[in-house]
């Protein structure tokens, strides 16, 4: 109170916010000059701006009459830049350096905290600044002088060339066709410094007219720095409490921004965050944090934010999992993005991540191998999904990151019900895409409102023992039932059944079949081996066209096997040699283009894929990789189409036999071996065709496709 009495308020000033020049007002900071030599006294010859980059160039005249100006130096600079001959393209048409260019650079990227103030008649009028630019002298004329100097040196070295030459020497021109650019290569190119410089250079200059301080047009424009109405209608932003006004001027915990060439996309200060609309604030927070309780979100947004508005906004960018909010998959993987690990499109990644989120709505624990087996995504992609919302526990799996938020569940039952309906729709889509069986899906007991209980290791072992005993009892009953059927079958031959008379040949055939089947009926061990497979009854263990849960590749009646075989045959008709790694990549791309619910989504193992390849007429080439090779096991498995039905089959077979004994081969060795095996010398076009089908060249040597290690 004593301090307030010593520092009384002597005047109150009304503050107005002028918006007429809010998006057009720039602050230019010129180099320091003496007060007697203001920049306004210097003629401005031209001005231009690039609005998107906020880059300005000003061209000012130089006072050549000033006694401080060195005329001989100015003439020398003009001579170096333009040469002895002056024309329309010359920088200095007067053969004297009589002008100077100033280029701008941004001082700060965030100008929201800065404004231009004009005090008039007891009122303070503020206009927000659109940009703050520092002007520095440009020395681009020195680059022109260097270029002229290099041209003169090149002309002197060339000497007097003959002008009577009718035509130039014929030169060989090599034409090369660029390969299609991959998505990852395009992203790297777009983010490169060279590309950004090129984009900046492509923006056209907008030429401006410069008006001095005393010009009538400048005086007219300065009137826009005043608020156009003092009634307060346009100044609703300033009708706030003192604390809110200070919050707008200086957000809490501000951090000075530093100029960075490429700022990370996930770096955003709280000061910047609070300048965004509420929906964008929620989206940015969830995109960076991934998983968050509602109470933490409210504390980050501030006490003045309405919780109902936050609830509406959070449901647009996140899903409710165990009472906590997890960011939606399409926020992390936009439509045109792809996986940095496998290159899978965003649609496939969103499906896989939704499956992981759905699994956590059913249980506290998820096993990564189970997720990978269902989604058919690579281990790195699945690991990224799990790291977003879970933490790994040794010998247990992945546990959901946050505890069950029972308080939010009880407080907002309407939101929980709406989210439950959304998850039901997502579950139906996942069942259709991944062919999930409803009976085997984990379900929460009715009335369960709390977190899922944790099961100890002893309880798991006991549960497994109980299930094993139940399965054993079931198998015993099944075996006993089949034995009784067999005993009944041995009694049936004594029963006479009235039949139509058969011909002698048909009767002999039936007797022969009966004799062949008799040992199968009387041998118990044979019966056990044929009726049981992997400890299960025959009707359950081998379901017609499947074995151990996977379709049999050779079974023609299986639609999965037919689709897989068609894919393999079509792929090897286009590319005669493929590694297992490349084949799996092409198969994943093929799956990504299939409609939901396709038969191939039922699950294809590596073994099944290899068996299908061998069954399609391909052979595995045992390439002798060097001991220090960095190739993975899948990259060392090389398959080649042995017979395609064209005239080059024999040539390709000879080539593949060469690479079964050599990791890399020279072209002359391949050509001599082909001539020796085929009995005639092949033309260059024939050899080139065979090499193009199966090989790639690197460092003067030839390798089978997919085996070269750069």
């Amino acid at each position: 109170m004593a301090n307030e009495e010593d520092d009384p308020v002597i005047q109150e000033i009304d503050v107005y916010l002028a918006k007429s020049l809010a998006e057009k007002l720039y602050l230019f900071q010129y180099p320091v000059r003496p007060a007697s030599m203001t920049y306004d006294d210097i003629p401005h010859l031209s001005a231009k701006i690039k609005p998107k980059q906020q880059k300005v160039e000003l061209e000012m005249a130089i006072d050549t009459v000033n006694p401080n100006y060195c005329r001989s130096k100015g003439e020398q600079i003009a001579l170096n830049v333009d040469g002895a001959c002056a024309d329309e393209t010359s920088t200095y048409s007067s053969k004297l350096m009589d002008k100077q260019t100033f280029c701008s650079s941004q001082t700060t990227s965030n100008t929201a905290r800065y404004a231009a103030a004009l005090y008039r008649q007891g009122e303070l009028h503020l206009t927000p600044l659109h940009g703050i630019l520092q002007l520095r002298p440009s020395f681009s004329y020195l680059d022109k002088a260097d270029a002229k100097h290099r041209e003169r040196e090149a002309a002197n070295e060339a000497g007097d060339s003959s002008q009577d030459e009718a035509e130039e020497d014929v030169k060989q021109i090599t034409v090369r066709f660029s390969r299609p650019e991959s998505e990852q290569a395009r992203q790297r190119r777009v983010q490169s410094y060279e590309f950004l410089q090129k984009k900046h250079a492509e923006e056209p200059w907008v030429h401006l007219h410069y008006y001095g301080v005393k010009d009538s047009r400048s005086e007219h424009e300065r009137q826009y720095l005043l608020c156009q109405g003092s009634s307060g209608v346009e100044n609703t932003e300033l009708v706030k409490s003192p604390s809110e006004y200070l919050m707008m001027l200086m957000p809490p915990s501000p951090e000075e921004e530093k100029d960075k060439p490429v700022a990370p996309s996930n770096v955003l200060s709280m000061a910047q965050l609070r300048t965004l609309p509420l929906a964008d604030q929620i989206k940015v927070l969830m995109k960076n944090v991934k998983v968050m309780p509602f109470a933490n979100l409210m504390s980050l947004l501030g006490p003045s934010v309405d919780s109902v508005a936050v609830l509406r906004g959070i449901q647009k960018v996140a899903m409710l999992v165990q009472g906590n909010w997890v960011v939606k998959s399409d926020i992390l993987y936009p439509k045109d993005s792809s996986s940095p690990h496998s290159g899978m499109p965003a649609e496939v990644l969103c499906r896989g991540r939704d499956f992981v989120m759905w699994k956590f709505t059913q249980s506290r624990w998820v096993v990564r191998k189970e997720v990978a087996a269902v989604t058919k995504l690579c281990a790195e992609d699945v690991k990224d999904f799990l790291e977003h919302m879970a933490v790994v526990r040794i010998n247990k799996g992945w546990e959901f990151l946050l505890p069950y938020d029972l308080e939010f569940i009880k407080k907002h039952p309407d939101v929980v019900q709406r989210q439950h309906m959304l998850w039901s729709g997502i579950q139906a889509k996942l069942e259709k895409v991944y062919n999930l069986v409803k009976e085997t899906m984990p379900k929460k007991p009715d009335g369960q409102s709390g977190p899922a209980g944790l099961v100890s290791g002893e309880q798991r072992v006991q549960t497994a023992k109980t299930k094993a005993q139940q399965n054993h009892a079931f198998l015993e009953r099944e075996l006993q039932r089949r034995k009784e059927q067999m005993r009944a079958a041995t009694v049936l031959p004594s029963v006479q059944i009235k039949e139509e008379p058969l011909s002698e040949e048909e009767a002999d055939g039936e007797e022969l079949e009966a004799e062949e089947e008799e040992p199968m009926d009387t041998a118990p061990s044979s019966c056990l081996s044929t009726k049981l497979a992997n400890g299960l009854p025959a009707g359950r263990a081998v379901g017609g066209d499947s074995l151990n849960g996977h379709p049999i590749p050779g079974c023609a009646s299986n639609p999965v096997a037919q689709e897989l075989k068609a894919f393999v045959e079509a792929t090897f008709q286009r590319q005669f040699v493929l590694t297992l790694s490349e084949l799996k990549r092409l198969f994943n791309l093929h799956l990504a283009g299939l409609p939901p619910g396709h038969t191939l989504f039922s699950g294809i193992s590596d073994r099944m894929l290899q068996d299908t390849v061998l069954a399609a007429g391909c052979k595995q080439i045992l390439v002798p990789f060097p001991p220090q090779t960095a190739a993975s096991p899948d990259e060392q498995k090389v398959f080649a189409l042995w017979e395609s039905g064209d005239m080059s089959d024999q040539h390709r077979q000879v080539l593949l036999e060469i690479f079964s004994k050599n990791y890399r081969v020279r072209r002359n060795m391949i050509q001599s071996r082909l001539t020796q095996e085929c009995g005639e010398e092949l033309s260059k076009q024939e050899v080139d065709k065979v090499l193009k089908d199966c090989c790639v060249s690197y460092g003067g040597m030839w390798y089978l496709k997919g085996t070269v290690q750069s």
Side-chain angles (χ1 to χ4, degrees):
M1 294 296 292
N3 293 337
E4 292 181 1
E5 292 177 358
D6 295 340
D7 189 14
V9 176
I10 60 175
Q11 184 181 1
E12 291 187 358
I13 301 174
D14 293 332
V15 180
Y16 295 92
L17 182 63
K19 296 182 179 180
S20 300
L21 301 177
E23 299 295 328
K24 306 173 184 177
L25 190 61
Y26 290 87
L27 174 64
F28 289 178
Q29 296 178 347
Y30 288 82
V32 179
R33 291 171 63 94
S36 60
M37 301 170 59
T38 62
Y39 282 97
D40 190 58
D41 298 333
I42 302 175
H44 287 59
L45 303 178
S46 65
K48 53 185 179 180
I49 184 174
K50 289 187 176 182
K52 292 182 180 179
Q53 303 176 41
Q54 294 190 1
K55 184 177 180 180
V56 174
E57 279 193 9
L58 298 179
E59 198 174 74
M60 302 182 188
I62 297 177
D63 185 8
T64 58
V65 185
N66 193 299
N68 296 325
Y69 181 78
C70 181
R71 192 174 186 85
S72 61
K73 190 66 174 177
E75 292 176 351
Q76 183 63 41
I77 292 176
L79 180 63
N80 293 340
V81 173
D82 298 327
C85 300
D87 54 15
E88 295 179 355
T89 60
S90 300
T91 304
Y92 305 110
S93 58
S94 63
K95 297 185 179 181
L96 188 68
M97 183 180 178
D98 56 357
K99 58 185 177 182
Q100 187 177 14
T101 303
F102 287 84
C103 269
S104 69
S105 61
Q106 288 189 21
T107 58
T108 178
S109 60
N110 183 16
T111 58
R113 296 167 50 191
Y114 299 93
L118 183 63
Y119 181 75
R120 180 172 294 183
Q121 298 178 357
E123 297 175 348
L124 185 63
H125 298 261
L126 301 178
T127 302
L129 290 176
H130 189 62
I132 301 177
L133 305 178
Q134 284 186 348
L135 296 175
R136 296 184 177 89
S138 173
F139 302 99
S140 57
Y141 60 88
L142 296 178
D143 297 333
K144 295 181 180 179
D146 291 341
K148 290 282 186 181
H149 180 68
R150 285 193 295 269
E151 289 178 2
R152 287 193 293 268
E153 286 185 348
N156 294 334
E157 290 178 0
D160 297 330
S161 59
S162 175
Q163 301 297 327
D164 301 330
E165 193 170 0
E167 59 182 11
E168 297 181 357
D169 296 337
V170 178
K171 296 182 179 180
Q172 183 180 0
I173 300 176
T174 303
V175 180
R176 295 184 179 179
F177 297 93
S178 61
R179 296 181 179 178
E181 188 178 29
S182 64
E183 181 63 23
Q184 294 180 354
R186 190 191 69 81
Q187 292 179 358
R188 288 195 298 269
R189 180 176 60 81
V190 169
Q191 295 176 359
S192 65
Y193 176 77
E194 181 181 359
F195 182 83
L196 294 177
Q197 289 295 103
K198 183 179 178 182
K199 293 292 288 185
H200 289 169
E202 289 176 354
E203 184 181 357
W205 287 100
V206 178
H207 292 273
L208 308 173
H209 295 283
Y210 180 83
Y211 297 94
V213 177
K214 300 177 182 179
D215 193 277
S216 59
R217 178 65 183 270
S218 298
E219 182 63 30
H220 174 73
E221 291 292 331
R222 270 198 297 275
Q223 297 300 319
Y224 289 109
L225 294 176
L226 300 174
C227 185
Q228 299 303 309
S230 303
S231 60
V233 178
E234 297 185 3
N235 296 281
T236 55
E237 290 86 350
L238 299 181
V239 184
K240 297 182 181 295
S241 64
S243 60
E244 291 176 339
Y245 179 64
L246 290 176
M247 184 77 71
M248 290 174 59
L249 290 180
M250 292 292 293
S253 303
E255 295 180 1
E256 292 295 333
E257 292 187 358
K258 298 180 180 179
D259 292 335
K260 298 181 181 179
V262 180
S265 59
N266 60 342
V267 174
L268 188 67
S269 66
M270 293 301 295
Q272 291 175 314
L273 181 68
R274 288 175 179 171
T275 61
L276 301 176
L278 179 60
D280 292 340
Q281 293 185 43
I282 297 172
K283 182 177 180 180
V284 170
L285 285 173
M286 292 305 304
K287 188 175 181 179
N288 284 272
V289 182
K290 309 291 190 305
V291 185
M292 190 186 305
F294 186 74
N296 289 13
L297 179 62
M298 289 298 300
S299 64
L300 290 173
L301 294 176
S304 60
V305 180
D306 183 17
S307 62
V308 178
V310 176
L311 272 176
R312 283 197 300 265
I314 190 66
Q315 295 182 67
K316 297 178 181 178
V317 297
M319 296 291 293
L320 192 65
V321 178
Q322 300 190 21
N324 302 280
W325 292 98
V326 182
V327 64
K328 289 184 177 180
S329 301
D330 54 359
I331 301 296
L332 297 180
Y333 302 105
K335 186 176 181 181
D336 296 329
S337 64
S338 59
S339 168
H341 306 295
S342 60
M344 299 297 288
E347 182 182 0
V348 180
L349 297 177
C350 289
R351 275 203 305 262
R353 189 175 181 275
D354 287 344
F355 177 75
V356 175
M357 293 170 62
W358 173 80
K359 290 285 287 183
F360 277 119
T361 63
Q362 310 297 313
S363 173
R364 288 284 302 175
W365 299 87
V366 167
V367 180
R368 187 175 69 174
K369 290 184 178 179
E370 295 179 0
V371 175
V374 173
T375 60
K376 301 301 178 185
L377 292 171
C378 69
E380 290 80 5
D381 287 335
V382 176
K383 187 178 180 182
D384 283 350
F385 300 159
L386 292 169
E387 287 178 344
H388 291 168
M389 62 192 83
V391 60
V392 65
R393 305 294 185 191
I394 299 176
N395 296 331
K396 289 185 177 181
W398 291 77
E399 185 184 11
F400 192 68
L401 190 62
L402 298 176
Y404 197 95
D405 193 349
L406 188 59
E407 181 180 354
F408 180 86
I409 298 294
K410 293 180 178 179
K411 192 174 181 180
H412 304 281
D414 53 337
V415 177
V416 175
Q417 180 64 24
R418 192 179 302 113
Q419 289 291 309
H420 177 71
M421 295 172 63
L422 292 176
W423 276 120
S424 299
I426 294 175
Q427 177 180 343
K429 292 181 180 178
L430 294 175
E431 291 174 1
K432 190 174 182 181
V433 172
Y434 295 129
N435 289 336
L436 303 178
V437 183
K438 292 185 178 181
E439 287 76 4
T440 60
M441 287 189 171
K443 294 183 179 179
K444 290 186 178 181
D446 296 337
Q448 180 180 355
S449 59
L454 299 179
V455 182
S456 64
E458 295 181 357
Q459 291 175 334
R460 291 190 176 193
V461 172
Q462 187 63 31
T463 303
K465 287 182 178 180
T466 304
K467 289 184 177 179
Q469 292 174 359
Q470 294 175 354
N471 291 338
H472 180 72
F474 171 77
L475 294 176
E476 287 289 342
R477 291 194 301 270
E478 187 70 16
L479 180 60
Q480 187 65 28
R481 184 179 64 83
R482 291 185 175 275
K483 285 183 178 181
E484 293 176 357
Q485 290 178 355
M486 290 165 54
R487 293 194 193 98
T490 58
V491 181
L492 286 177
S494 61
V495 180
Q496 299 294 329
I497 300 175
K498 184 177 181 181
E499 296 179 351
E500 294 293 331
L502 302 175
S503 63
E504 294 182 359
E505 294 180 356
E506 291 175 343
D508 293 341
E510 287 202 354
E511 289 178 1
L512 181 60
E513 291 178 2
E515 290 176 359
E516 291 178 350
E517 291 179 357
E518 271 187 1
M520 299 292 293
D521 296 336
T522 57
S525 61
S526 174
C527 169
L528 185 61
S529 63
T530 56
K531 297 298 182 180
L532 293 179
N534 297 334
L536 291 175
R540 296 171 57 87
V542 181
D545 294 340
S546 63
L547 181 61
N548 295 335
H550 295 288
I552 302 173
C555 185
S557 62
N558 192 327
V560 178
Q562 292 176 357
E563 289 285 343
L564 183 60
K565 186 177 181 182
F567 162 76
V568 169
E569 290 177 348
T571 303
F572 275 94
Q573 284 294 337
R574 294 191 303 268
Q575 305 183 37
F576 293 92
V577 178
L578 286 171
T579 63
L580 180 60
S581 175
E582 179 66 12
L583 181 62
K584 289 164 64 176
R585 187 186 71 83
L586 294 175
F587 183 66
N588 286 333
L589 292 177
H590 178 66
L591 286 180
L594 295 178
H598 195 273
T599 55
L600 285 181
F601 285 111
S602 59
I604 306 298
S605 64
D606 290 357
R607 181 64 182 173
M608 182 178 178
L609 185 60
Q610 295 179 63
D611 292 343
T612 306
V613 170
L614 296 177
C618 301
K619 288 190 178 182
Q620 183 174 359
I621 309 302
L622 302 178
V623 179
F625 283 82
Q628 67 277 13
T629 181
S632 64
D634 285 351
E635 291 175 341
Q636 295 185 32
K637 293 181 180 179
V638 184
F639 297 92
L641 182 61
W642 197 250
E643 293 182 356
S644 64
D646 59 9
M647 300 297 295
S648 302
D649 280 346
Q650 182 183 1
H651 304 159
R652 280 193 293 269
Q653 292 171 8
V654 174
L655 183 65
L656 295 174
E657 289 177 357
I658 294 174
F659 280 102
S660 65
K661 300 177 182 178
N662 302 275
Y663 173 60
R664 56 184 181 179
V665 188
R666 294 191 179 275
R667 181 189 175 97
N668 55 3
M669 177 183 174
I670 295 174
Q671 193 157 2
S672 61
R673 181 68 181 276
L674 287 171
T675 303
Q676 178 184 352
E677 293 292 336
C678 299
E680 58 180 356
E681 187 173 356
L682 301 181
S683 64
K684 182 178 182 299
Q685 290 78 8
E686 291 175 327
V687 177
D688 289 344
K689 182 182 184 307
V690 175
L691 291 176
K692 181 181 178 182
D693 290 343
C694 305
C695 305
V696 292
S697 176
Y698 183 79
M701 304 293 289
W702 288 88
Y703 302 78
L704 274 185
K705 288 183 178 179
T707 62
V708 60
Q709 300 294 318
S710 57

